[in-house]
Amino acid sequence: MGVKFAPSLLCMDLTQVARQLEVMNRRADILHVDLMDLRFVENIGLCPAFVQAIRPLAKKPIDCHVMGWDLPWWIKALAKAGADSITVHLETLCGAGEGALEEIHALGCGVGLALSPETAAEAALPYLSMVDKVTVMTVKPGFPGAPFLWEMLPKIRRLAAMREELGLGFAIEMDGSCADDNFAALREAGTDVFVVGAAALFDRCADLEQAFDRMEAAFLPDRKDGA
């Protein structure tokens, strides 16, 4: 799979949403929206109303990462708001398991499954045939800018091996503190989708177009158009 970049909209300049979305519509592959409930994680993020507000402006897929309990509410609200895909945490399935993932699919959205740092790759095995993407949290969930957890690299490698062994096609995404010093290791481990936030993208330059140029120069200096 080719490398894909998914800017975290929680890290964008929220006073310049329309202008920055114009740039991301040209340069990003996916728009990553973090949603939190102050219960599963001790923080709050964006909300379904934000997804609904940007839906008419977004030309790239909107992937909603739910860090919260009460999945039936989140799934219905986000599908109604216009999410293209919904990623939920394995730790929040709470017995619903396949039912929650089936509901996402039934509502016409792509299905993602996120694993918190303490959750082993093998825990996702019962669900891998049902998902389009598995997200490995490489920081403590809910805290943008938290320290990168290098010990997550073996989990990514294990998921890549499981994907090959099972003949499946799900993408492997990393989420948390992607930066110049870990991109190559993440890619080598098997990461396909990189959630990029402040360190990787938004803090590189106030001009977001230039920030994308600098990120790609740092991460993919030999990247060809369309790669």
Side-chain angles (χ1 to χ4, degrees):
M1 294 184 183
V3 170
K4 292 186 177 181
F5 292 116
S8 172
L9 302 197
L10 189 60
C11 298
M12 73 188 294
D13 183 348
L14 293 174
T15 70
Q16 301 289 332
V17 172
R19 182 177 298 175
Q20 293 206 335
L21 279 174
E22 287 180 3
V23 177
M24 286 186 272
N25 282 335
R26 294 194 306 273
R27 304 295 299 269
D29 297 294
I30 300 163
L31 304 177
H32 183 91
V33 179
D34 285 311
L35 306 108
M36 312 173 198
D37 68 353
L38 271 176
R39 294 187 295 149
F40 180 67
V41 295
E42 298 175 355
N43 208 341
I44 55 174
L46 301 170
C47 63
F50 176 84
V51 176
Q52 184 175 15
I54 69 168
R55 178 69 276 175
L57 305 175
K59 293 182 172 62
K60 294 298 175 70
I62 300 173
D63 178 39
C64 293
H65 175 198
V66 178
M67 288 169 272
W69 301 102
D70 194 11
L71 291 185
W73 181 86
W74 283 109
I75 291 167
K76 287 182 175 62
L78 290 169
K80 183 178 180 181
D84 291 292
S85 58
I86 300 173
T87 297
V88 299
H89 272 258
L90 186 150
E91 303 84 17
T92 65
L93 292 180
C94 296
E98 294 182 1
L101 303 181
E102 289 170 350
E103 176 69 6
I104 296 172
H105 186 265
L107 289 170
C109 298
V111 182
L113 187 67
L115 308 181
S116 292
E118 66 274 13
T119 302
E122 283 74 14
L125 185 57
Y127 311 110
L128 292 180
S129 64
M130 302 178 62
V131 302
D132 303 298
K133 179 187 70 174
V134 178
T135 301
V136 174
M137 296 302 302
T138 50
V139 297
K140 180 180 178 181
F143 293 89
F148 181 80
L149 301 174
W150 288 91
E151 59 269 31
M152 294 301 103
L153 292 176
K155 184 188 295 188
I156 294 171
R157 293 190 188 98
R158 179 61 184 137
L159 283 166
M162 292 165 68
R163 177 173 62 187
E164 184 173 355
E165 291 164 6
L166 296 170
L168 297 175
F170 60 86
I172 299 173
E173 178 180 76
M174 64 74 61
D175 185 359
S177 292
C178 181
D180 292 6
D181 65 344
N182 57 41
F183 175 82
L186 285 161
R187 182 58 180 152
E188 181 277 331
T191 304
D192 309 300
V193 183
F194 294 79
V195 176
V196 289
L201 178 62
F202 293 99
D203 284 355
R204 287 189 188 270
C205 183
D207 182 297
L208 188 56
E209 196 84 58
Q210 292 184 35
F212 266 100
D213 289 341
R214 294 178 186 181
M215 179 181 73
E216 291 191 358
F219 288 172
L220 301 168
D222 300 320
R223 187 178 191 181
K224 305 297 184 184
D225 290 342

